[in-house]
Amino acid sequence: IAINNDPAITELFEDLHYADIAEVLDELDFDESIYIIKLLDSEKTSEILTELDEDTREKILENLSAKEIAREIGEMDTDDAADIIGELSEERQRNVISALKDEEHAADIKELLSYDDNSAGALMGKELVKVYETWTVAGCMRRIRAQAKEVSRVHSIYVVDKQDKLIGRLSLKDLIVAKNEQKISEIYIDKVDAVNVNEDDEEVAKIMSKYDLEAIPVVDDNNVLLGRITIDDIVDVLKEEADKDYQLANGLTQDVEADDTVYELVKGRLPWLILGLFGSLGAVIIMQNFQTIMDNPDYKALFFFTPLIAAVAGNVGVQSSAIIVQGLANDLIKGSLWRRLLKEISISLINGFLLSIIIIVFTKILGFPISFSLAISISLMSVIIIASLIGTFVPIILDKRGIDPALATGPFITTSNDIFGILIYFSIAKIILGI
Amino acid sequence: IAINNDPAITELFEDLHYADIAEVLDELDFDESIYIIKLLDSEKTSEILTELDEDTREKILENLSAKEIAREIGEMDTDDAADIIGELSEERQRNVISALKDEEHAADIKELLSYDDNSAGALMGKELVKVYETWTVAGCMRRIRAQAKEVSRVHSIYVVDKQDKLIGRLSLKDLIVAKNEQKISEIYIDKVDAVNVNEDDEEVAKIMSKYDLEAIPVVDDNNVLLGRITIDDIVDVLKEEADKDYQLANGLTQDVEADDTVYELVKGRLPWLILGLFGSLGAVIIMQNFQTIMDNPDYKALFFFTPLIAAVAGNVGVQSSAIIVQGLANDLIKGSLWRRLLKEISISLINGFLLSIIIIVFTKILGFPISFSLAISISLMSVIIIASLIGTFVPIILDKRGIDPALATGPFITTSNDIFGILIYFSIAKIILGI
């Protein structure tokens, strides 16, 4: 690149897959990326643009004119095009759309932009093969040949009636196996799964992976066929969802990546650290209120165990909340809340009992009196029960109120369990030891 | 079901999708499930079996004879069949395979069972449409009609040479658009992605989602076409992988679900709790060694801050490790380790500085001397730096040694950071305060 050897670069990139080129560009200096993008033809660069990292793409698009962007967009499928235009400012969106040459393409993209983020409409593409039930197989094949040139991959052929309402589907295979003179109405399959255009994208992902679908048609409230969603978009939705839950469980505000800048990483990490700090400061105040215990030489060692109590409460809490959050995602949380309460208490009692045995043996070795060991064990059991109930029911309650239950994982649970755990620990120990 | 109204049940289930029936059966009593499975015809039940929860399926298969299982297996695609037979004991595997009527199907399943778990071979199916380069389009269509009846969905048509070596691909679309008398060798696309049969399944998932493929051919070391992997199997791999990482980060040994029994849930949760407990007991011993600080009325309050130090160290650690684990999964961890080290230290200094300000204000309000506040702040900064380095570099080191970096998330990081954090905290505080 340094010596501007254009033909060599063009040739080098000629044989590479666009996903690989995108990876190379993500690594390169910004000026070099722009240079390469302008060098390659728009059929290839449009594919590359869709594969780029969002940050890199934003920078590149900033340096292209509305006309240049429109040329790239013109080569894209409607769903990718709408995604990328959606990242621009509203003014640039208008400029790019009006610079599009193909008016139908422009109208399709405008329609897709009008749907809510995270809805089936935002995920769908307009490219599909549609046949009317009144056509014959031979006529159908002819028209499919024409339509198919526009569509990069033929997933399913959707059968509609005169009002464009979805009534069934057909696979290319069925069409090939059928006789030329048969009518579509004789051979189509009238069972077809479809989703409403306003359906939530996670719900669409669930449906498609449950029924192992590779594409699903999208319809409006009147069952009119509007577009289709393909499985590769669903793979992205599933990945995003899993990443989001993982980051929440680990105390990151969404969308932090290892190659982000220091500033972005601090911004992603600080909020939960501050929240956790305030929780721990609450624990400091609680301990101050119990500080007279320190004056008693027999019992001052209770303070050595506060990090242990906090750690166990935290671990139990995140385990419970993780099981619930995954269960909610997979629709496994059914049945009465009372049964779940009983189950959690049983698990806590068993785990608490086994951990207590270890603590009793350990404190015995260190030479603590047995009353002291018992006080710690009994408080620990109570802490485990409370911690697991918080971990279990806070996500369930959030979910019932329509809030993402994954919010109540990770630092949220460990922080609240720290405070409750230390409070319960000292209260119970005080009662048992009669201080 | 209670009144054994067979025709009504058959009719009821007739119209349901097998994935829905599987969900109903997962909920039903065991006897009722068996009863329904025996009632429905094997074309339907074979689909239901593949969709059932593993636990339910295991119980049902235990109650079917080898012959009955063979009848179900006979209706399945080879990849599903191999997965299910793989769950049986070795003896039953042999019995079921020898009871299969279709010998080719049996041989295919045997072959699939011979590949390593988590390899492309274990994931692939044998059903595919294969054409020789010497065929004409018309002849090809005729033979595809025959082959396609065996294959539930035609993804791609693979083109092979005389030695069955993969040389290209063809889409049904291309075939339809082509003229009858053309030869396959004139129209096929010679760029085809393929994976080796011994490739790791997560690697296959990465390739397919990177290139947005819906199916990928699987070849042996000589490039001979063996089978194909479809995107729906990849969706399952991705889901499993995400679930596993999530569970590890939350201190669960793999494969615990909300609807498991109390015994299974205890087994899934106890190991990390015990590990965490031993770590905390280590912290108890460290604090015992610093207990003389308690005799100093000015400084005994240092002990009120141990849960705070442990909590911050833990939170910082899981944040760092989560970013690294996700980065490794997405191939974002590139460049020199020194740069990463510098980045982590910068982030830690900024976060530490901001948290210290909060602590200084807080301790001022509570009336602690400024030397005390400074001691806590400076130790906290050191703890944050060490904690983030542990969180960052332990997963990187594990990954370099070929161990799953996700092992070093969650309780592992919080526990080790608790110990180091408290040790550093008291050591530094002691030096600063001159105790």
Side-chain angles (χ1 to χ4, degrees), chain A residues 17 19-20 23 27 51 141 145 148-149 151-155 172-173 176-177 209-212 214 231-232 235 238-239 242-243 245-247 249-252 256-260 262 265-266 269-270 272-274 276-278 280-281 284-285 287-288 291 294-295 300 303-308 311-312 315-316 318-320 322-323 325-326 332-334 340 343-344 347 350-351 354-355 358-359 362 366 368 388 409 414 418 422, chain B residues 17 19-20 23 27 51 141 145 148-149 151-155 172-173 176-177 209-214 231-232 235 238-239 242-243 245-247 249-252 256-260 262 265-266 269-270 273-274 277-278 280-281 284-285 287-288 291 294-295 300 303-308 311-312 315-316 318-320 322-323 325-326 332-334 340 343-344 347 350-351 354-355 358-359 362 366 368 388 409 414 418 422:
Chain A
H17 190 279
D20 294 315
E23 248 177 34
E27 293 298 300
E51 292 291 326
M141 288 288 264
R145 282 197 186 108
K149 278 179 193 154
V151 181
S152 54
R153 274 177 281 197
V154 178
H155 291 92
L172 266 185
K173 198 188 89 184
I176 294 177
V177 176
S209 70
K210 180 175 164 189
Y211 297 123
D212 285 342
E214 292 179 0
I231 186 85
D232 53 315
V235 170
L238 288 173
K239 261 190 179 168
D243 281 354
D245 283 356
Y246 190 76
Q247 294 184 324
N250 288 293
L252 301 166
V256 193
E257 279 174 7
D259 59 353
D260 282 346
V262 169
L265 280 165
V266 167
R269 296 170 65 156
L270 201 55
W272 280 109
L273 288 182
I274 291 180
L277 187 72
F278 277 112
S280 302
L281 291 175
V284 170
I285 293 175
M287 279 183 274
Q288 271 204 314
Q291 63 178 308
M294 262 191 200
D295 302 334
K300 66 179 183 186
F303 280 90
F304 302 157
F305 287 85
T306 50
L308 181 146
V312 172
N315 286 345
V316 167
V318 294
Q319 288 183 336
S320 304
I323 291 175
V325 168
Q326 284 202 323
L332 289 177
I333 310 299
K334 296 163 189 162
R340 189 150 297 278
K343 202 170 175 181
E344 275 299 312
I347 296 168
I350 299 172
N351 281 338
L354 294 170
L355 295 185
I358 298 176
I359 287 190
F362 175 83
L366 290 188
F368 289 103
S388 76
T409 52
T414 46
D418 275 10
I422 287 171
Chain B
H17 189 280
D20 295 315
E23 244 176 36
E27 293 297 301
E51 291 290 327
M141 289 288 264
R145 283 196 185 107
K149 279 178 191 154
V151 181
S152 53
R153 273 177 282 197
V154 178
H155 291 91
L172 266 185
K173 198 187 91 184
I176 293 177
V177 177
S209 70
K210 179 174 164 191
Y211 298 123
D212 285 342
L213 303 175
E214 293 179 358
I231 186 84
D232 54 317
V235 170
L238 288 173
K239 261 191 179 170
D243 281 355
D245 284 355
Y246 191 76
Q247 295 184 323
N250 288 292
L252 299 167
V256 192
E257 280 174 3
D259 60 353
D260 281 346
V262 169
L265 281 164
V266 167
R269 296 171 64 157
L270 201 53
L273 288 181
I274 291 180
L277 186 71
F278 277 112
S280 302
L281 291 175
V284 170
I285 293 174
M287 280 183 273
Q288 270 204 315
Q291 64 179 307
M294 259 191 202
D295 302 334
K300 67 178 182 185
F303 281 90
F304 302 156
F305 288 85
T306 50
L308 180 146
V312 173
N315 286 345
V316 167
V318 295
Q319 287 182 337
S320 304
I323 290 175
V325 167
Q326 283 201 325
L332 290 177
I333 310 298
K334 295 162 188 163
R340 190 151 296 281
K343 201 170 178 182
E344 275 300 313
I347 296 168
I350 299 173
N351 282 338
L354 295 170
L355 295 185
I358 298 176
I359 287 190
F362 176 83
L366 289 187
F368 288 105
S388 76
T409 51
T414 46
D418 275 10
I422 288 172

Side-chain angles (χ1 to χ4, degrees), chain A residues 185-220:
Chain A
S185 54
E186 293 167 43
I187 60 164
Y188 79 87
I189 303 153
D190 63 356
K191 272 186 200 162
V192 55
D193 293 297
V195 290
N196 186 283
V197 68
N198 297 314
E199 184 68 89
D200 183 71
D201 58 359
E202 287 175 36
E203 202 49 46
V204 178
K206 259 190 213 172
I207 293 171
M208 289 186 70
S209 70
K210 180 175 164 189
Y211 297 123
D212 285 342
L213 303 175
E214 292 179 0
I216 197 165
V218 181
V219 295
D220 70 6

Side-chain angles (χ1 to χ4, degrees), chain A residues 345-364:
Chain A
I345 292 180
S346 321
I347 296 168
S348 303
L349 283 175
I350 299 172
N351 281 338
F353 181 75
L354 294 170
L355 295 185
S356 293
I357 292 176
I358 298 176
I359 287 190
I360 290 173
V361 172
F362 175 83
T363 45
K364 185 82 202 155

